[in-house]
Amino acid sequence: FRTFRLMVSPAYLDWNATAPLRPEARAAMTAALLAFREDRQPSTVMGRITKGFSPAELNAIAVFWSAVR
């Protein structure tokens, strides 16, 4: 999670251009990320990216994006 926070530091993001997720979307995002990780969702890149994160880290990513305002 610490690495992810570094990747999305305000210095690199225009927060006004990022639409926040609804809190109820957090579970859906976690499920989608896990589906990519477990090859249940076809992809070209996301499967490879999500394999680098544990399920807990993928959940933390979803929690982070659901809290962005």
Side-chain angles (χ1 to χ4, degrees), residues 37-54:
R37 184 178 190 272
E38 297 164 0
D39 293 324
R40 292 184 284 119
Q41 177 66 36
S43 69
T44 56
V45 176
M46 284 300 294
R48 289 182 262 174
I49 292 170
T50 55
K51 282 181 178 60
F53 294 95
S54 71

Side-chain angles (χ1 to χ4, degrees), residues 13 24 46 52 62:
L13 279 183
E24 58 270 13
M46 284 300 294

